[in-house]
Amino acid sequence: MKIISMKKIISISVICLFLLQMLYFVVEPTISVAATAPDSMVVTLNVDAGISISDGAAVTMAPNLSTGISGSIGSSSWLVKTNNYTGYKLDVKASASPALVSGGNSFADYTETSVGTPETWSVAATNKEFGYSAFGNDTVTGTWGTTATCGAGGVPNASMKYVGFKITDKTIATTGVATPYAGTTTSICFAAEQNTTYAPAGVYTATITATATTL
């Protein structure tokens, strides 16, 4: 009887062990390794170079010339904005030569000692002339002068350098970088003088065009 019981016990133990092993495999959590498949992409944003120019207000020079007043000045300015990282240039030109006219009468375009090179304002006796200078952060002071004012009382500022208008572009301001977000202002000074001569009475006008170009 004891032998039979032991056999039963052993058999039952083996069966129980088998069942426990089966249960373990059924309920054991599945352990898996995640698979990956990377995919890169490129995001592209195009920023176009742009440039704008504004604020070129019309000018009435002052004071009026007469038999007792020989000189007159005026000023205007342009605001240039560009995001072009290599900068811009600002050119000016007149629509006609001579630039300042009234019907058949005119002021000669300012004559420089060295043609095309700005110089301190000076008009020879018996002549009447019209010219310009410029100042601003992007002007070259060695070329145009070292002050930031056009003058007073009809007399051009002695620190500014003047040149005569041409019907072809002349650069008055340039830089090799983009402007600040708010832009950069360049001012232009106009001067006219009659030296020991009279300009015939009339309304004299000049059409001046400024062009901002990316570099």
Side-chain angles (χ1 to χ4, degrees), residues 81-107:
K81 298 180 179 181
T82 183
N83 64 347
N84 188 51
Y85 74 97
T86 54
Y88 77 98
K89 66 173 183 171
L90 178 64
D91 299 330
V92 295
K93 66 179 179 180
S95 63
S97 181
L100 189 64
V101 299
S102 175
N105 300 312
S106 63
F107 279 66

Side-chain angles (χ1 to χ4, degrees), residues 54-60 74-79 133-135 150 172 185-190:
S54 60
D55 295 352
V59 179
T60 298
S75 66
S76 189
S77 62
W78 292 282
L79 177 67
S133 185
F135 64 87
C150 295
I172 61 173
T185 296
T186 297
S187 297
I188 186 169
C189 301
F190 302 100

